[in-house]
Amino acid sequence: MTLLRTHNLTVRYGNKEALTSLSLDIDAGVIGLLGPNGAGKSTLLKTLLGFLEPSRGSAEVLGLPIGKSGAALRQRLGYFPERPVFVPGLSSIETVALAGEIGGLARGDALARAHEVLWFAGLGEARYRLVEEFSTGMQQRTKLAMSLVHDPDFVLLDEPTSGLDPVGRRQMLDLVRQIGERGVSVLLSTHLLHDVESVCDSVVLLDKGKLALHGKLSELKQQPGWVYEIRVREDEPGTFRKALAESGLLIEEGRDGQLRITLEERPTRFLFELARASGAEIRHLRRFERSLEEQFLSAVDRDAPRDS
Amino acid sequence: MSVIALEAVSRWYGNVLGLSRVSLEFEPGVTALLGPNGAGKSTLLKLVTGLLRPSAGTVSVLGEAPFANPTIYARLGLVPEEEEFRARVSAVDWLEYLLRLHGFGEADAAARARKALSEVGLDSAAETRVTTFSRGMKQRLRIAQAVAHDPDILVFDEPLTGLDPVGRRDVIDSIRRWGSQGKTVLVSSHILHEVELMTREVVLMNAGKVMASGNIHEIRRLMEAHPHRILITTPDPKRLATRLIDQDGLHSISFSEERSQVELETQEPDRFYALLTELVLDDAATIHEISSPDDNLEAVFHYLVGK
Amino acid sequence: MPLHDLSYQRFEGGRTEQLARSLAIARMTTSLLLKRRSFLLLLCACWIPVIARAAQIYVARYVPQASEFVTVTARLWQEFLTQQVEYLPVLLVALYAGAGAISTDLSSGAFVAYLSKPISRFDYFLGKAIPVFLAILVVTLVPALALFGVYLSVANDFGVLETAPLLPLSVIAYSLWIGLYFTVFVLAISCLSRSGRVAGAGFVALALGSGIVLSGMMAALRLPSPPASLSMIGATIDSAHVFFGNVSSGDTPYLSIVAMTSLMLLSAFVLRRRLGSAEVAS
Amino acid sequence: MSTSRLLLVAQWNFSQLLWSPRTLAMGVLAGTPVLIALVYRAAVLFEIAPKGTDFGVFATLTATVSFPFVAPMLSLFYASGVTSDDVEAGTMRYLLTRPIARSELLAGKMLGMLVMVLFLFLPPFVIGFYLIVAPSGWQEVGTRFPALLWDVLAGILGLFAYNGLFSLAGTVLKRPLLFGLFFVFGWQAGAAIVPGTARYLTITHYLSSLLPHGSFQGTLARLMGQPSSNTEAILALLAIGLGTHALAIWVFTQKEL
């Protein structure tokens, strides 16, 4: 099912073209939206919400044309803004219930639903406290609840894990996954590629307002051939690497200090022999998957100036 | 004498405890400060940079109390936590002004400002007003202002906030470089796999206290309550499991034919790694993959913070 | 016993009408205002003139000795309402309820959260305007009507209402008029700044400053008094003559109406431009 | 204190304020004397304004608009933000972590602030004087010039005192604007018309005592108390200004920001 389709979508922001003739066709699911700063990610989200008007081209979300549909479209969209959101003086539950009422729920429904989504977002008794006094983590949970309370079919999440500690981040990603399992599509805009790797089905990568990469995550991560990453513990650092090099294998060193070797087939005794001979012990040996980071860095123009 | 030393430092905000009797010393090189929200990392960094005064205990930086101390600021650079940042001037003017407050002459300040901007990749935006910057550009500028005067001590509160993958990679590389140049670098961050790329030295905090400090792998080794997990992929998991099961020091072992995997938990990982090599070489076992999913910072963090 | 599913659930219930959504914002804003003791105190203080007027009505009826200099005519209601403007109650209430109304939303991010929901920008404006409007009516229309109650309960005939049968209508229309005027103006100021304090200061400076500068100028020119239509408060007071049907008094009441209408149109234009701009939504 | 860094801060702060959107609004306020002078000239030209001395017009202008309204408002809108402007813009931390003493930093900022306020207040004031008085002939200008100098002196001292007070309010209080509005329109207006010593706790009292062409406070105020002598007024304004500035600096050096 088509979730989002744009045709030659061009959006200007101030006197700068933030999106340039963007043509996209995205199916429902959990989609990662990536791109360097200034690539047009936030612009795309704001355009879909109707905050910005395209200067050319068209876009359809959930089968509704943007711009013309206005409120009718936003009825089916949920938005998690990047920046903090609170209504001074309102507790978390009141804020979410208000968001529900504005989203078209009757007062009683809104309150019940607010409790439900806040529970889901993992905000316990804290929901009776003022949002403005919350830690980042609790604010993000409140924002998630606000974006879901009117039961959208498609939520746009702008950096939902930003500012979260490792535990909070893990929980937030679990929530995103669960939302996806309930048939709600998610567009997850983030700079944290690990987040995308852990929850998304597919990825859209923008660069300078244009589409740079789009595809299923599983396909993007596939590395052709037999490339393995390997880490050893050795008495004398560097010996094993030398031994590998002497045996004619293709070696690369990753930034994390791990070696990447290209084999002809699955690893064999040979590697272990080599390790023992050079006084090393293999501690880690895994089929190498192309990381999203490498794809990202190769797909975007790294040296281009990124001014807004 | 350590570059930075905290001695039994506590800090309260009204009734709220920020930091509780923390004693720590920091030496040249990169040290990462980790912990959940509210653990006291930011409080600690503010104490070290003299933006806060300790409620009890002493903080000393280069042998002096840092609060509002100009002598310290001449040798310190700070990237504060992200907040509103709306300087209504161009990036280069802003940096020049800050550098002139350091006492650099006009020409010197201008040259240094340009250099710092180009180090963080903002050359082409030098003349642009900061108010129009994106979040990532502002973060780059924050880093530029911290390093422009070439300080000996660098303090970064979440330096990667808002940066895109390109920027993150650049900044991580720079932090490593500054550490290896002999600067004392303190970094707080939530993104653990990125911290692992910066340094092995960490301070783990929770609820205002220090839970562990030192090398990540050392800390992991000391955590005996949590046995090491080793995952092995092999075409014949049943056979490998049978071979391993009579070994001492094994907490648990399980295998899955379906996924061709054997998973074992042990207190003595060294011994089992050695054993695996033996099995392959002397017993013709075939092993495709070996990995240890919890020998990393992420695992250490979750074990210590307890969630 | 089934295991309950606490994971994310979809919502099956019905949806409300568009107006209900504006009213939700209005209701929440109003209840937030009423929670603040300082606001309630302000409202009480703004009712002090009402008590004085009630006393006047009472004295005029029951103290025959005073009837020579204390009388009750249709004029009383007009004076009461214009004095609520002249001696600041209306201004203070508008300042308190309105100056931060939009600016706080802009700085706290609530604005974007509201607008990402299925409402239009006008719905949002309505939600913000209603509480300010009501707050102004609480210190104008409500006490003025209460004074009718006092009058009718102490009088033994319909005296004033017989001579001026349209008086209640005049009171209602004029109250709504100044309510609308100050609401639109204060919200227009509010949407211009992200800081409620700056907006508040701007509102006070413009509302009072227009009068102060003007009378200073007239004093310098040795002209008797400035044309009311040029100062915000002066125009509001002057325009009452139109509503209460004594057009011949005052400076140029119709001119004041025109001046106030122009300011409202300007405010509406500012609101429309500002709330509609992409910059605000970022 | 190193003077060069203090001046650097002052200069920077001045230029920051000069190019801020606030200055646009404040410029309109500050320009009212010129505006009124122009209106007066037009009125004279078309013979609308009744006859009187030109200098009398200028005196009324200073007494009704410039000193009681323009001066305190200018000072309030700028000085109350002496620290909070940087805190709100998120630029304060970067300044605090520079090798410059906090006292020097704030002193520099306040100096820049004072120059800014004087820059907005004095030129339109003097221009207003010439626009109004000059057509009466150069002799009249010469006669009235000492009065203008007194006005300028009073303006400088008054703004110095107001700036100090509102800087202090801005450094200590969360809502300095509300305090300032209350001080100017509530306290000062009220204290002037009650008998007793309350008047000595206002800035207007000394300011109006200094003005050569009589108090700008209302008739009622004049009935309630005598103006102070020039020396007293100058000393009082200086003391208020110095005291509040010093206090603001002291608070700032102790503050955790």
Side-chain angles (χ1 to χ4, degrees):
Chain A
M1 190 193 86
T2 302
L3 175 70
L4 164 64
R5 180 182 288 144
T6 67
H7 182 70
N8 284 335
L9 185 69
T10 301
V11 182
R12 307 183 68 85
Y13 201 89
N15 48 16
K16 179 200 161 206
E17 215 163 76
L19 291 177
T20 308
S21 292
L22 184 68
S23 294
L24 275 175
D25 198 331
I26 302 177
D27 286 340
V30 180
I31 302 116
L33 177 61
L34 302 173
N37 289 325
K41 303 195 297 296
S42 293
T43 306
L44 179 60
L45 298 189
K46 284 173 191 163
T47 309
L48 299 184
L49 285 163
F51 292 170
L52 298 176
E53 264 176 51
S55 49
R56 258 185 301 119
S58 62
E60 252 179 41
V61 184
L62 299 161
L64 297 167
I66 61 158
K68 293 184 195 76
S69 313
L73 174 55
R74 288 200 297 274
Q75 184 69 61
R76 300 182 60 194
L77 288 179
Y79 178 49
F80 180 111
E82 183 183 0
R83 43 160 308 170
V85 169
F86 58 90
V87 181
L90 285 196
S91 66
S92 180
I93 183 74
E94 288 167 321
T95 312
V96 177
L98 176 62
E101 278 189 77
I102 302 172
L105 270 59
R107 201 174 169 194
D109 285 347
L111 193 66
R113 172 97 180 148
H115 277 285
E116 216 173 276
V117 285
L118 276 173
W119 170 269
F120 165 74
L123 208 64
E125 291 305 303
R127 63 184 184 275
Y128 300 110
R129 284 172 37 203
L130 294 181
V131 181
E132 63 216 81
E133 291 166 3
F134 273 179
S135 69
T136 319
M138 295 197 283
Q139 280 197 14
Q140 301 286 62
R141 286 164 199 267
T142 305
K143 272 190 331 197
L144 183 70
M146 285 174 79
S147 67
L148 292 173
V149 63
H150 61 297
D151 190 28
D153 298 315
F154 182 20
V155 282
L156 313 171
L157 307 179
D158 204 348
E159 302 269 358
T161 58
S162 161
L164 291 182
D165 63 19
V167 177
R169 199 166 134 237
R170 201 188 249 189
Q171 289 169 343
M172 179 62 81
L173 291 176
D174 279 345
L175 296 177
V176 172
R177 203 176 289 123
Q178 283 186 43
I179 300 167
E181 283 163 9
R182 287 284 161 185
V184 178
S185 287
V186 178
L187 190 60
L188 174 72
S189 166
T190 182
H191 285 318
L192 296 172
L193 303 174
H194 277 231
D195 288 1
V196 171
E197 284 178 343
S198 74
V199 296
C200 295
D201 319 318
S202 62
V203 173
V204 172
L205 172 58
L206 299 182
D207 187 26
K208 285 180 280 177
K210 297 195 176 108
L211 185 65
L213 195 67
H214 176 201
K216 290 240 171 288
L217 191 70
S218 50
E219 288 162 15
L220 290 175
K221 292 194 69 166
Q222 255 171 29
Q223 168 79 27
W226 300 101
V227 180
Y228 278 78
E229 49 183 23
I230 187 165
R231 194 178 73 231
V232 298
R233 170 153 159 174
E234 51 194 342
D235 306 329
E236 216 175 298
T239 349
F240 181 63
R241 187 188 173 145
K242 227 171 103 196
L244 281 175
E246 275 164 11
S247 67
L249 286 175
L250 190 60
I251 320 171
E252 261 185 289
E253 191 172 341
R255 285 168 79 236
D256 46 10
Q258 283 181 2
L259 296 181
R260 267 177 229 155
I261 50 176
T262 309
L263 304 176
E264 270 157 23
E265 49 174 335
R266 286 183 176 282
T268 51
R269 275 175 72 94
F270 157 73
L271 276 179
F272 288 85
E273 276 165 9
L274 205 63
R276 185 188 267 180
S278 54
E281 196 175 86
I282 296 177
R283 285 298 171 97
H284 177 93
L285 176 69
R286 263 184 96 173
R287 180 89 186 258
F288 174 68
E289 286 188 320
R290 297 175 71 189
S291 76
L292 210 45
E293 187 185 11
E294 282 179 40
Q295 308 231 14
F296 183 102
L297 295 173
S298 64
V300 305
D301 182 0
R302 279 204 61 170
D303 299 318
R306 307 210 173 278
D307 322 354
S308 50
Chain B
M1 192 188 67
S2 302
V3 181
I4 299 169
L6 287 88
E7 228 183 280
V9 172
S10 300
R11 167 70 205 205
W12 310 282
Y13 303 91
N15 284 329
V16 181
L17 184 72
L19 213 59
S20 168
R21 294 191 60 77
V22 167
S23 297
L24 274 175
E25 294 187 352
F26 297 98
E27 304 292 347
V30 182
T31 311
L33 239 58
L34 313 172
N37 287 332
K41 304 183 304 284
S42 284
T43 304
L44 193 149
L45 294 184
K46 281 182 192 160
L47 285 164
V48 166
T49 51
L51 291 170
L52 290 180
R53 269 181 289 210
S55 308
T58 53
V59 181
S60 82
V61 176
L62 301 164
E64 295 188 39
F67 184 78
N69 185 340
T71 331
I72 300 298
Y73 294 133
R75 297 178 58 189
L76 182 142
L78 166 70
V79 174
E81 65 191 322
E82 193 187 29
E83 51 174 14
E84 199 82 32
F85 180 29
R86 287 179 282 115
R88 279 193 325 262
V89 287
S90 70
V92 68
D93 284 351
W94 172 240
L95 278 191
E96 269 185 55
Y97 173 54
L98 293 180
L99 283 164
R100 294 205 58 200
L101 288 177
H102 276 274
F104 293 107
E106 227 164 306
D108 210 2
R112 277 175 178 267
R114 293 277 169 189
K115 184 165 160 270
L117 286 174
S118 89
E119 256 180 67
V120 297
L122 278 179
D123 337 39
S124 52
E127 316 292 346
T128 315
R129 277 159 81 93
V130 180
T131 34
T132 66
F133 273 21
S134 70
R135 215 174 147 204
M137 290 164 82
K138 284 184 182 170
Q139 188 62 17
R140 285 164 187 264
L141 182 58
R142 277 193 195 96
I143 293 170
Q145 63 79 33
V147 300
H149 54 289
D150 193 22
D152 305 320
I153 302 172
L154 280 167
V155 177
F156 296 106
D157 204 346
E158 296 284 345
L160 303 176
T161 312
L163 289 178
D164 60 25
V166 179
R168 303 180 95 84
R169 173 178 273 233
D170 292 347
V171 171
I172 290 171
D173 288 346
S174 300
I175 288 177
R176 271 162 72 150
R177 197 178 67 241
W178 291 318
S180 64
Q181 284 168 358
K183 294 184 194 299
T184 306
V185 187
L186 262 59
V187 186
S188 94
S189 176
H190 280 321
I191 317 295
L192 302 174
H193 64 88
E194 288 176 337
V195 169
E196 279 185 297
L197 296 176
M198 296 177 202
T199 182
R200 304 269 145 198
E201 288 298 314
V202 301
V203 172
L204 254 160
M205 303 183 64
N206 197 5
K209 288 188 191 305
V210 174
M211 302 195 68
S213 62
N215 182 288
I216 303 168
H217 295 290
E218 288 297 307
I219 297 174
R220 178 66 189 94
R221 223 168 43 79
L222 291 174
M223 291 169 48
E224 292 186 345
H226 297 281
H228 287 245
R229 275 200 303 152
I230 301 175
L231 268 174
I232 305 151
T233 316
T234 163
D236 194 352
K238 197 171 176 179
R239 180 160 162 252
L240 186 67
T242 327
R243 299 273 189 87
L244 290 167
I245 201 149
D246 352 313
Q247 297 293 328
D248 292 333
L250 196 64
H251 266 260
S252 71
I253 185 161
S254 62
F255 67 90
S256 147
E257 294 272 6
E258 207 177 301
R259 282 183 293 163
S260 316
Q261 256 181 0
V262 178
E263 181 176 343
L264 61 89
E265 285 192 318
T266 172
Q267 216 78 278
E268 304 163 66
D270 292 357
R271 180 166 158 202
F272 277 85
Y273 284 120
L275 192 65
L276 283 176
T277 312
E278 269 169 43
L279 285 177
V280 172
L281 293 179
D282 307 334
D283 212 10
T286 315
I287 290 179
H288 290 157
E289 295 189 330
I290 306 174
S291 62
S292 166
D294 59 359
D295 187 20
N296 58 28
L297 194 50
E298 190 96 25
V300 172
F301 184 93
H302 287 286
Y303 286 152
L304 280 178
V305 172
K307 276 183 206 166
Chain C
M1 181 179 174
L3 287 174
H4 287 282
D5 187 358
L6 290 175
S7 65
Y8 183 67
Q9 303 293 325
R10 305 298 303 260
F11 175 73
E12 308 292 343
R15 306 286 171 168
T16 54
E17 289 303 310
Q18 210 67 20
L19 184 63
R21 307 177 184 189
S22 293
L23 292 180
I25 302 180
R27 199 188 60 238
M28 191 55 90
T29 318
T30 312
S31 75
L32 273 175
L33 271 177
L34 293 178
K35 267 191 215 160
R36 286 155 77 169
R37 194 166 302 160
S38 50
F39 183 66
L40 296 178
L41 270 175
L42 176 65
L43 287 185
C44 288
C46 293
W47 268 63
I48 292 172
V50 186
I51 297 165
R53 291 293 177 175
Q56 181 187 353
I57 293 171
Y58 185 86
V59 168
R61 170 73 182 79
Y62 288 109
V63 188
Q65 302 93 314
S67 62
E68 268 175 44
F69 46 95
V70 183
T71 52
V72 175
T73 64
R75 195 83 189 182
L76 181 141
W77 276 268
Q78 183 184 345
E79 276 172 11
F80 166 72
L81 285 175
T82 52
Q83 282 173 2
Q84 287 296 81
V85 177
E86 193 173 1
Y87 298 128
L88 306 182
V90 169
L91 206 69
L92 290 178
V93 168
L95 170 71
Y96 199 116
I102 297 178
S103 25
T104 329
D105 280 354
L106 293 177
S107 61
S108 72
F111 183 72
V112 172
Y114 287 142
L115 288 197
S116 70
K117 299 288 176 206
I119 56 169
S120 70
R121 298 187 187 225
F122 182 72
D123 294 330
Y124 168 79
F125 166 75
L126 215 54
K128 287 286 147 180
I130 290 171
V132 187
F133 189 64
L134 288 181
I136 295 176
L137 291 191
V138 166
V139 299
T140 52
L141 182 61
V142 175
L145 293 180
L147 287 177
F148 276 122
V150 173
Y151 177 72
L152 292 178
S153 61
V154 301
N156 33 18
D157 53 35
F158 289 91
V160 167
L161 292 180
E162 272 162 21
T163 50
L166 290 180
L167 186 58
L169 280 183
S170 299
V171 166
I172 292 171
Y174 182 60
S175 301
L176 296 180
W177 169 249
I178 51 182
L180 188 67
Y181 178 60
F182 281 101
T183 302
V184 176
F185 180 66
V186 77
L187 288 182
I189 299 286
S190 183
C191 79
L192 285 176
S193 171
R194 300 174 92 88
S195 150
R197 283 184 285 154
V198 172
F203 174 68
V204 171
L206 284 172
L208 290 180
S210 57
I212 292 179
V213 170
L214 200 69
S215 48
M217 177 148 87
M218 288 308 167
L221 298 186
R222 291 189 197 76
L223 290 174
S225 67
S229 48
L230 290 179
S231 107
M232 273 194 71
I233 292 188
T236 317
I237 295 167
D238 195 33
S239 69
H241 296 304
V242 174
F243 288 88
F244 287 89
N246 34 30
V247 187
S248 52
S249 33
D251 285 331
T252 38
Y254 283 116
L255 208 57
S256 293
I257 296 267
V258 171
M260 289 169 78
T261 311
S262 319
L263 188 65
M264 278 195 269
L265 288 177
L266 180 68
S267 302
F269 174 74
V270 166
L271 278 161
R272 210 186 133 79
R273 279 297 297 270
R274 177 84 177 148
L275 293 186
S277 82
E279 181 196 346
V280 184
S282 64
Chain D
M1 277 196 195
S2 80
T3 342
S4 67
R5 279 188 217 184
L6 193 150
L7 289 178
L8 176 68
V9 176
Q11 193 192 345
W12 172 267
N13 216 42
F14 175 76
S15 67
Q16 285 296 289
L17 291 172
L18 188 60
W19 301 113
S20 69
R22 187 179 342 183
T23 298
L24 202 69
M26 290 295 107
V28 174
L29 177 67
T32 45
V34 175
L35 177 78
I36 293 177
L38 287 175
V39 171
Y40 171 69
R41 283 270 68 101
V44 170
L45 194 65
F46 296 108
E47 296 176 349
I48 301 169
K51 264 273 165 250
T53 65
D54 286 338
F55 182 72
V57 171
F58 177 69
T60 320
L61 167 68
T62 56
T64 51
V65 179
S66 289
F67 282 92
F69 185 66
V70 175
M73 286 307 248
L74 276 182
S75 186
L76 178 60
F77 281 92
Y78 282 106
S80 61
V82 69
T83 54
S84 57
D85 283 356
D86 269 315
V87 173
E88 276 166 21
T91 42
M92 187 53 107
R93 284 202 179 141
Y94 306 99
L95 300 176
L96 290 182
T97 51
R98 301 295 141 186
I100 170 171
R102 284 195 182 188
S103 50
E104 216 176 317
L105 182 66
L106 192 65
K109 281 160 85 61
M110 291 194 299
L111 179 60
M113 194 74 83
L114 184 64
V115 174
M116 179 70 221
V117 174
L118 290 175
F119 173 78
L120 278 183
F121 182 79
L122 292 180
F125 187 77
V126 174
I127 293 171
F129 172 83
Y130 278 100
L131 279 177
I132 293 173
V133 180
S136 309
W138 289 111
Q139 197 181 347
E140 173 74 358
V141 171
T143 330
R144 302 300 187 181
F145 194 72
L148 176 69
L149 284 186
W150 270 108
D151 278 335
V152 169
L153 175 74
I156 293 172
L157 285 172
L159 285 171
F160 179 58
Y162 275 127
N163 259 19
L165 182 69
F166 297 140
S167 296
L168 179 62
T171 315
V172 178
L173 301 175
K174 254 198 175 142
R175 304 244 163 125
L177 272 180
L178 280 185
F179 164 82
L181 287 173
F182 168 77
F183 181 82
V184 174
F185 294 110
W187 173 249
Q188 298 210 121
I193 55 169
V194 296
T197 52
R199 66 185 60 252
Y200 297 112
L201 296 176
T202 66
I203 290 173
T204 15
H205 171 75
Y206 305 107
L207 204 48
S208 73
S209 303
L210 261 190
L211 293 190
H213 25 69
S215 165
F216 60 71
Q217 297 180 310
T219 333
L220 191 54
R222 258 172 277 155
L223 286 175
M224 290 296 162
Q226 291 300 307
S228 303
S229 78
N230 278 350
T231 332
E232 278 167 12
I234 291 175
L235 287 178
L237 288 176
L238 273 177
I240 294 173
L242 286 173
T244 46
H245 275 95
L247 208 54
I249 289 179
W250 181 80
V251 171
F252 186 66
T253 54
Q254 301 303 310
K255 211 171 177 183
E256 288 177 340
L257 285 157

